[in-house]
Amino acid sequence: MTQDFAMKRALGRLLGRAGPEVGCDVCFEELDLYVELELAGADVEAAIPGLHAHFAGCPACREEHDSLFALVSSERR
């Protein structure tokens, strides 16, 4: 990873994104639907704007997403 890319990535995390802000409460309410849409191949960012960005900045919600995604995808196999 180049130093310039690392700097831009760090600034992006610090400043957040320009789109809609999603908090942990909304994240937990929408997480099931998000994972279902994600596994169906839908455009999850269009369906639930801002949730993907929230995962990037919130390790607890990212962990919840990853766990639920792994569980649901393994059940579908």
Side-chain angles (χ1 to χ4, degrees), residues 12-41:
R13 285 186 179 169
L14 179 65
L15 298 175
R17 59 184 308 234
E21 298 248 346
V22 173
C24 294
D25 291 341
V26 172
C27 180
F28 285 118
E29 289 173 14
E30 301 290 343
L31 188 56
D32 293 345
L33 176 60
Y34 185 93
V35 168
E36 290 292 332
L37 291 171
E38 192 174 28
L39 288 169

